[in-house]
Every structure is written in C-alpha cells, then in structure tokens.
Amino acid sequence: MSTSQRRMRSEGRIPVLVAQLVAFALILSLPGAVLPLLVRCVAVVIAASVLLPLLIVDPSRLRHSSRRTRRLGVSQAGFLAVVALAAVALTVVQLVTASYALVPRVLVGAVGAWLLQVIAASLVLWQLDRGGPVARRGIRSGPHPDPDLRFPQEDLEERWMPSYLDYVTTALTNAMAVVPARTLALRPRTKILTSIWSFTSFALLGVVVARIIAFVA
C-alpha cells in the first residue's frame, strides 16, 4: 500500500484532552492518606506543564510530530502511569492498615485510583501503538512502526485505524476482564504493561471487597 493510500484524517485533540483533565482532577481528589496534597499538586503541575507545549503545537487536531513532541507525549503518559500505579499501591496499603474511621474515605479514593490507572493506561497505549497518533494515521511520510495492539476491527475494514476511544476501551477491558480481551497485545512491552495493569487492578479490587466485608461485618 502506498503512502498516499495510507494517509487518513488526523485525530481530534478534544477526547484526549478531556481524559488528561479528568486524570488531573482524579490525582487532586485522592485522599491525603494515599498521597499528600503537596505531592498531588506537584504531580499535576508537572503533567500540565508537559501538556501545554503539545496544546500549542496541535490545539485541535493532531497533525504535527517531531522527536521533541513525541518524547513529551510519551513522557507525560508514562508519568501519569507511574503516579497511578503509586496511587493504587498506596491505596492497597491504606486499605489494609487504615483505621475503621478512615475506611470510607480510602474506599472512595480507591475508585479514583482505579479510574486514574485506566486513563493513564489508555494514554500510554495511545502514545506507543504504531508510533503514536500522528504516525499511526500516515500523516507523516516514513517507516511505520510495528503495532503494539491488534484490534478486531482491522480484520473487517482494511483502512480502519484506532482512535483514542479504542484505547480507553482496551484499558478498561484489561482492568475488568477475567478472560483475554479481543484486542491482543503483540509486542513484549505491551504484554508486560497490560499484565501489570491487570494485576494491580485485580489486587485493588480484591482488597476493596475484603475491606468492605470486614467494614460491614
């Protein structure tokens, strides 16, 4: 297939921006027992400062990609993923050790930490798969990186290409499913990442259920 045949309409910025803003809000809403307010504020400032130049380059549609913007996008997604993983791990610790009075607040925080991990995972997959949103749609000429994920729609439509919503669905399914998802992880790095996210999600869920039973009993 020629480069011109592979070119597709650029992806919109709005869905991704909404997800990033929700992630910032979730970080700030985490209980102080999980992450101190100062740490949460610093994390949001760092992530937002990385987002700002990306918005300046591509405010509405994703059409430009350089080595610098690519690194910024991947770095921000990776940073949010680390913050989310820390929030989940610390939430599990708090659920195990928190006093009776703090349990309701930590349980609410567990929901936020879980949602934060889903959003962070979707952003990482969206940035990594086939070189990112710009390279994925063939807007720039050059070699196309190997796919990290295989979506079932690719078997039905020759020119189909995933959008951010598809990565949100993949991350959400990976966090909830007890059987392999229809979207397949192809590369080792993707298999490792999705395995980590799946394990931490189920660990958090298991501790939440156990703590609720102990709280109600």
Side-chain angles (χ1 to χ4, degrees):
M1 184 180 295
S2 66
T3 302
S4 60
Q5 289 176 315
R6 296 187 64 173
R7 293 182 185 276
M8 310 178 97
R9 190 166 183 262
S10 60
E11 189 171 350
R13 163 75 70 182
I14 299 302
V16 184
L17 178 60
V18 170
Q20 291 167 324
L21 294 178
V22 171
F24 298 167
L26 288 171
I27 293 173
L28 292 174
S29 68
L30 291 171
V34 174
L35 283 177
L37 178 59
L38 178 60
V39 175
R40 285 176 278 150
C41 290
V42 170
V44 170
V45 168
I46 292 174
S49 64
V50 175
L51 174 61
L52 184 59
L54 297 176
L55 286 174
I56 294 174
V57 173
D58 282 318
S60 59
R61 304 202 68 85
L62 302 167
R63 298 188 179 94
H64 305 93
S65 179
S66 64
R67 182 173 298 180
R68 179 174 297 179
T69 58
R70 173 86 179 125
R71 286 177 177 174
L72 285 175
V74 173
S75 297
Q76 192 217 37
F79 177 74
L80 290 175
V82 171
V83 173
L85 190 61
V88 170
L90 292 171
T91 298
V92 170
V93 173
Q94 287 298 320
L95 284 170
V96 173
T97 61
S99 63
Y100 186 85
L102 290 177
V103 168
R105 184 180 300 177
V106 179
L107 286 174
V108 173
V111 176
W114 184 82
L115 288 174
L116 176 61
Q117 178 162 277
V118 170
I119 293 175
S122 69
L123 291 170
V124 170
L125 295 175
W126 178 74
Q127 285 285 358
L128 291 182
D129 189 28
R130 306 166 219 226
V134 177
R136 196 159 47 237
R137 296 191 172 233
I139 296 172
R140 292 186 65 197
S141 60
H144 294 267
D146 294 334
D148 287 76
L149 298 167
R150 175 72 179 179
F151 294 87
Q153 293 94 324
E154 295 180 69
D155 297 325
L156 303 176
E157 302 178 41
E158 182 181 356
R159 287 177 55 80
W160 183 88
M161 192 59 64
S163 64
Y164 177 65
L165 180 60
D166 296 291
Y167 296 99
V168 173
T169 303
T170 299
L172 187 61
T173 303
N174 185 71
M176 298 177 65
V178 295
V179 295
R182 293 186 65 192
T183 301
L184 300 178
L186 301 179
R187 301 180 70 175
R189 67 182 183 185
T190 319
K191 294 177 181 179
I192 292 171
L193 289 173
T194 53
S195 296
I196 292 173
W197 292 326
S198 180
F199 174 78
T200 53
S201 292
F202 275 98
L204 179 61
L205 177 61
V207 175
V208 165
V209 171
R211 195 57 165 155
I212 290 176
I213 293 174
F215 183 76
V216 174

